[in-house]
Each structure stands twice: as C-alpha cells, then as structure tokens.
C-alpha cells in the first residue's frame, strides 16, 4: 500500500453509503488525489428533468471568471440560478451530503451538452491565484452524467492515466484542496470529444466558503 498523506473532504468508504435521501454506490476510487466514481446518484427521472429544464436555455459555453467564449470548451451550457424548481433543491441537498460540504458553499448547478466533435480540453476547476474568484476558490467537483453517450465523451485525467466513461445516473467526484499543491495539479481533467450521440452532464462545484 502507498502511504496516504493528506486528509480528504469526502470520507465515505466501502461499497455504498446513505446520502440525504438516496443510497449512493461507490464503484471505484483512486486515493490520492481522491477521485471517486459513484453510482445511483440520480434517478432516470431526475436526469430527464435536468435535461428538459436546461434545453431551452443552452448557450455556447463561456469559461472562467471573464466569461468569454473560448475554444477550450466547445459544448453548450447553462447555470441554474437559485432553486427555481423543487427538483433542484432535492438534488442540491443530496449533492451537498455526498460532497460533505454545506449547501451554502454550492455554486449554481451547471448543465453542459456536447454534440459529436465537442469537447472540454484538459483544465483545472479551481481558479488561478491571480484571479479575484480565487479568494473563495473551488475545492471539489461532482460531474453527474445525465444520459447514455453512444461513443466517446469520457472524463479523463491525463496526469493519472485514468478515465471515466459516462453512464446515466452515475458521477465522478474529485477534490483539490490539498496543502500539497502538486496533488491539486494532478486533478487536471477534461471531457473527451463525443464521437457519436449527445453527452449531457450536470456539474456541481463547491467553494471553500459560503457563497450566500
Ligand atoms: O465533460 C466532462 O466529462 C468534464 C466536465 C468538466 O470538467 C467540468 O464541468 O468542469
Ligand atoms: Fe472541469
């Protein structure tokens, strides 16, 4: 066994655990940096509802604090602002319980849609220390898969030689609040180009401090 050096935010072990309102399955994990593949995170109905509620509000993705159009991410996306639908409150509570961070630290849920050829090149989810947003930086991510992708669209971690294939209702969790910054840098990740079909995801980012 390799020695695990740092405390993590997520500390569930075993095959399954109870979140706010749903039993979550642990499918696979990498210990350091912690990357956990989770099953049974969203029901089919919830996946369908998130796509339905987002469909009419998709815009070409803008990236980062400046919110400028960028080649790094070619998908379309939208953020939910506040909890305009009760399903969002249910999901936010569950996600906060899974991520072990209070809901007040949650950004609005983001939904992204990729069509064939679209991708999200390798990036960090945390803001660089030179940006204003880094004062209350992101510390963890949950990417939830909302549909079955025909081909492609894996979430890949080039520094870890690891990738997760999208599967409806499942999710990949990772965190980057280590004091050893090289561990945070190893959470570099991207969304591989979709080859066939569409890929829909909902991403939850958590901040170090309350957003509200
Ligand atoms: O599309 C993916 O699999 C990754 C998405 C992602 O990295 C993000 O939303 O920050
Ligand atoms: Fe990301």
């Amino acid at each position: 066994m390799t020695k695990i050096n740092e405390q993590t935010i997520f500390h569930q072990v075993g095959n399954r655990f109870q979140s706010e309102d749903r039993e979550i399955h642990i499918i696979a994990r990498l210990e350091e940096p912690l990357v956990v593949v989770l099953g049974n995170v969203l029901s089919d109905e919830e996946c369908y509802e998130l796509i339905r509620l987002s469909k009419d509000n998709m815009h070409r993705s803008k990236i980062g604090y400046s919110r400028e159009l960028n080649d790094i991410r070619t998908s379309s996306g939208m953020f939910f602002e506040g909890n305009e639908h009760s399903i969002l409150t249910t999901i936010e509570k569950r996600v906060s319980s899974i991520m072990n961070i209070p809901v007040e630290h949650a950004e609005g849920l983001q939904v992204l849609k990729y069509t064939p050829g679209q991708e999200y090149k390798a990036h960090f989810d945390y803001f660089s220390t030179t940006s204003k947003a880094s004062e209350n930086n992101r510390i963890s991510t949950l990417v939830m898969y909302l549909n079955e992708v025909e081909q492609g669209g894996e979430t890949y971690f080039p520094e870890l030689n690891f990738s997760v294939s999208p599967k409806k209702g499942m999710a990949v969790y990772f965190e980057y609040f280590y004091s050893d910054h090289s561990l945070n840098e190893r959470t570099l990740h991207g969304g591989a180009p979709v080859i066939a079909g569409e890929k829909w995801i909902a991403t939850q980012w958590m901040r170090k401090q309350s957003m509200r």
Side-chain angles (χ1 to χ4, degrees):
M1 280 290 278
T2 40
K3 188 169 167 287
I4 307 302
N5 291 305
E6 292 208 40
Q7 290 288 317
T8 54
I9 303 164
F10 178 97
H11 51 59
Q12 299 287 349
V13 291
N15 292 7
R16 55 194 70 221
F17 62 94
Q18 191 58 42
S19 69
E20 178 79 14
D21 64 337
R22 193 174 170 88
E23 188 182 82
I24 307 298
H25 302 163
I26 297 182
I27 308 295
R29 67 194 291 147
L30 185 83
E31 293 298 342
E32 208 173 43
L34 185 63
V35 181
V36 188
V37 180
L38 298 167
N40 204 41
V41 173
L42 297 174
S43 68
D44 284 356
E45 295 70 33
E46 288 167 337
C47 291
Y48 174 84
E49 260 318 275
L50 284 176
I51 292 175
R52 193 183 65 82
L53 293 171
S54 312
K55 250 183 181 148
D56 298 333
N57 294 301
M58 302 302 276
H59 306 286
R60 240 326 279 291
S61 295
K62 299 176 180 172
I63 280 222
Y65 208 60
S66 60
R67 305 237 159 273
E68 283 164 1
L69 278 181
N70 197 307
D71 280 350
I72 295 178
R73 187 166 72 194
T74 53
S75 54
S76 315
M78 61 91 64
F79 274 100
F80 286 109
E81 281 164 31
N83 288 355
E84 50 265 76
H85 308 282
S86 71
I87 182 187
L88 291 175
T89 311
T90 306
I91 292 173
E92 184 178 68
K93 282 190 192 151
R94 184 185 311 149
V95 161
S96 143
S97 147
I98 293 171
M99 298 175 85
N100 196 26
I101 296 283
V103 286
E104 293 75 24
H105 295 229
E107 287 187 27
L109 190 67
Q110 190 201 50
V111 173
L112 284 183
K113 174 199 178 184
Y114 304 79
T115 53
Q118 292 187 331
E119 66 179 315
Y120 195 167
K121 294 211 172 93
H123 63 278
F124 302 110
D125 281 355
Y126 51 87
F127 304 106
S128 80
T129 49
T130 54
S131 78
K132 181 105 181 79
S134 73
E135 287 168 19
N136 184 14
N137 216 337
R138 291 174 176 164
I139 57 174
S140 60
T141 303
L142 185 70
V143 176
M144 293 168 271
Y145 303 106
L146 304 182
N147 75 323
E148 303 294 353
V149 183
E150 237 174 273
Q151 207 185 334
E154 299 84 0
T155 307
Y156 65 97
F157 297 80
E159 299 293 325
L160 307 175
N161 294 321
F162 184 70
S163 68
V164 180
S165 298
K167 188 90 194 124
K168 186 177 182 177
M170 292 183 49
V172 60
Y173 168 87
F174 51 98
E175 53 177 84
Y176 31 84
F177 191 48
Y178 295 103
S179 37
D180 174 357
H181 202 75
S182 69
L183 283 176
N184 300 326
E185 287 174 348
R186 297 185 76 206
T187 65
L188 184 74
H189 63 280
V194 168
I195 295 166
E198 289 181 350
K199 174 187 175 190
W200 288 83
I201 57 169
T203 303
Q204 179 70 64
W205 291 291
M206 288 297 184
R207 300 289 189 109
K208 185 159 58 78
Q209 291 144 22
S210 174
M211 300 281 290
R212 298 172 193 174

